[in-house]
Amino acid sequence: MAVYTLYDRRNNTGLRLDNHDGNGSTKYSGMDTTNYVSKVTACLNIQLNPDRCGPDDRPGDGR
């Protein structure tokens, strides 16, 4: 099973970052202080089944 994140940046939406490298590994989307990450959703990529995703992490989402 792999994990991924769906995320938006200030100037880009609908981005996806996959991590197939297993437990303890880290992936980075790059550093950009002007086009910062504004939304993050973590998901499990479950083969042949619907993926499970957590709540969006963004300001004002009610959490």
Side-chain angles (χ1 to χ4, degrees):
M1 181 177 347
V3 295
Y4 64 94
T5 186
L6 302 173
Y7 67 103
D8 293 344
R9 288 187 170 273
R10 179 175 174 230
N11 301 319
N12 309 91
T13 60
L15 302 169
R16 178 176 168 144
L17 182 65
D18 290 277
N19 186 344
H20 301 283
D21 295 339
N23 187 25
S25 63
T26 304
K27 296 288 182 181
Y28 296 94
S29 68
M31 299 280 294
D32 188 340
T33 58
T34 60
N35 192 22
Y36 50 84
V37 174
S38 61
K39 175 187 141 193
V40 176
T41 305
C43 301
L44 294 174
N45 188 359
I46 305 170
Q47 214 169 26
L48 304 175
N49 286 294
D51 293 346
R52 288 189 5 220
C53 296
D56 289 345
D57 178 20
R58 58 183 150 186
D61 70 353
R63 295 187 308 140

